[in-house]
Amino acid sequence: QAQASLELNIGLATEYAVEVDNAEPCKHWLTHEACTEACIHYERSASLAPSSRIFLLWEAAVLRDASTQPGSLASAPTEARRAALAKVYQQAVSDGIWPSVWQRPQTLISGLAASAWHDARLFDACRKLEEHFELIRSEALGLLLSDSAGGERFVSHESKALAAGDWCDVGLYYNGMRNDGNARRAPKTSALLCSDAGGLRQDCTSCPLGSAYFSLLRPNTWIAAHCGPTNARLRAHLSLIVPEGDCEIVVGGEARKWVEGKVLLFDDSFEHEVHNATEKPRLVLIVDLWHPDLKTDEQRAAALQDDEQRQRYSRVRHNRHYETTTLRGH
């Protein structure tokens, strides 16, 4: 364990030294030499004391290797990067850290059914969102028009997964709390999301591990492959504006296109990437749902990380009370 910690710290120090020495570092990137050195130490640490943290650090170092970065939205990851990542994922699966090379959350709850894609028609919440498509779309278009007129409703999301373009959102609910300012700008959508209709309050916005927000991909935007933090939730995309052309989402290696008025439902703990290689925006309402295997209060409480989250869930679920927040997150 001591040797594993030593190797881990050397890897971290290697990355940190490059960031300190470089006055204008590339966005999240390392020199190839620094990446190679860091990965050697992370691999040694993982071989001695495997954990999700060390494999996530090893993965991040590979992704930050400047010599393997795609050059544009249309570029595919290089063979070198694919091979380096495959080595990380295969070792983690072999060590029992992740169930598959596709599903790699930071927090894995054992025993939950695992599938990259789910049938939205089987979920009351998804059917209810589709029923209210026109209402939701109308409010979303109002936000978009206000944004275009200088209202700055959509805020850019800074993410290491953002490889090109601009990924923006208007947050409504976050980790079982409500953004009251944005809720007033989309009052009907916000009211629907905290109502009993389709179990949206009980099964969606009560979740302290999930969010609900309008998500905008501006033209020529690419969100690179990544995994969500937990398998305790599913993620629904209600498609509001979908441009024609090369605009799709890939989850677990399977690509699908959005259809306006319909919900795409997937498990975002599986590797997924999104791109909009058109000259028009893509707009969806994202709503996170509790995983369907987590049905009871007891099951959900066990999936949460601390008492603060459990109390927040209970207040929403049983008292219909949402704390106010301005925090954002995906």
Side-chain angles (χ1 to χ4, degrees):
Q1 187 64 53
Q3 184 66 29
S5 296
L6 177 61
E7 296 290 352
L8 168 61
N9 287 326
I10 294 174
L12 290 170
T14 301
E15 296 193 60
Y16 178 74
V18 172
E19 291 180 346
V20 170
D21 290 343
N22 192 348
E24 295 183 358
C26 295
K27 181 183 178 183
H28 309 301
W29 293 2
L30 296 174
T31 64
H32 179 64
E33 293 74 17
C35 172
T36 301
E37 182 70 18
C39 287
I40 288 171
H41 293 290
Y42 291 146
E43 182 177 4
R44 290 174 181 170
S45 181
S47 69
L48 294 164
S51 69
S52 60
R53 182 191 179 212
I54 186 60
F55 282 108
L56 288 167
L57 286 169
W58 186 4
E59 174 195 38
V62 172
L63 292 171
R64 295 177 66 197
D65 185 347
S67 70
T68 66
Q69 298 301 319
S72 68
L73 177 64
S75 299
T78 64
E79 288 297 330
R81 189 168 91 169
R82 273 197 291 262
L85 289 172
K87 182 178 181 180
V88 178
Y89 302 153
Q90 290 166 4
Q91 185 61 49
V93 171
S94 177
D95 288 337
I97 301 300
W98 292 320
S100 78
V101 296
W102 291 110
Q103 190 182 24
R104 309 184 305 273
Q106 296 175 24
T107 303
L108 179 71
I109 299 172
S110 61
L112 300 184
S115 177
W117 288 101
H118 292 255
D119 188 347
R121 296 171 297 179
L122 302 179
F123 291 78
D124 291 342
C126 295
R127 293 196 298 269
K128 190 58 62 176
L129 291 174
E130 291 183 352
E131 287 176 18
H132 289 80
F133 163 69
E134 294 293 349
L135 176 154
I136 296 169
R137 187 174 189 270
S138 176
E139 289 196 327
L141 289 175
L143 290 168
L144 195 57
L145 288 173
S146 177
D147 189 78
S148 299
E152 296 184 348
R153 300 303 185 211
F154 285 88
V155 179
S156 296
H157 178 61
E158 296 297 327
S159 169
K160 292 182 179 180
L162 182 63
D166 192 13
W167 180 19
C168 313
D169 64 73
V170 175
L172 298 174
Y173 292 85
Y174 172 67
N175 287 5
M177 300 177 284
R178 179 167 51 214
N179 184 317
D180 288 343
N182 286 338
R184 286 191 291 270
R185 298 184 179 103
K188 295 179 181 178
T189 301
S190 179
L192 175 66
L193 292 172
C194 68
S195 74
D196 291 337
L200 283 164
R201 174 177 56 84
Q202 299 95 319
D203 296 331
C204 300
T205 54
S206 70
C207 182
L209 303 172
S211 303
Y213 55 96
F214 292 108
S215 176
L216 179 68
L217 286 187
R218 297 196 190 276
N220 298 306
T221 294
W222 175 31
I223 304 171
H226 65 290
C227 294
T230 176
N231 64 331
R233 71 188 191 192
L234 302 183
R235 175 151 288 189
H237 282 196
L238 175 65
S239 310
L240 303 175
I241 299 176
V242 183
E244 294 183 2
D246 188 7
C247 183
E248 65 182 11
I249 179 171
V250 183
V251 184
E254 180 182 342
R256 296 192 184 183
K257 290 183 176 291
W258 296 275
V259 176
E260 290 184 4
K262 298 298 181 181
V263 168
L264 286 179
L265 184 64
F266 60 97
D267 184 336
D268 78 326
S269 69
F270 281 76
E271 181 180 288
H272 57 286
E273 61 181 294
V274 182
H275 68 263
N276 175 17
T278 77
E279 298 303 320
K280 295 182 179 180
R282 183 237 59 178
L283 181 61
V284 302
L285 174 68
I286 293 179
V287 180
D288 290 330
L289 296 71
W290 281 103
H291 189 286
D293 288 348
L294 299 174
K295 298 182 177 66
T296 68
D297 289 344
E298 292 75 17
Q299 289 172 326
R300 293 174 177 182
L304 297 174
Q305 298 172 347
D306 53 51
D307 287 339
E308 181 180 0
Q309 289 184 339
R310 295 181 186 100
Q311 291 167 7
R312 190 181 300 151
Y313 166 74
S314 181
R315 284 194 290 268
V316 174
R317 176 71 175 85
H318 300 290
N319 302 325
R320 303 172 184 269
H321 173 73
Y322 292 88
E323 297 175 37
T324 298
T325 186
T326 57
L327 295 174
R328 302 162 54 242
H330 294 195

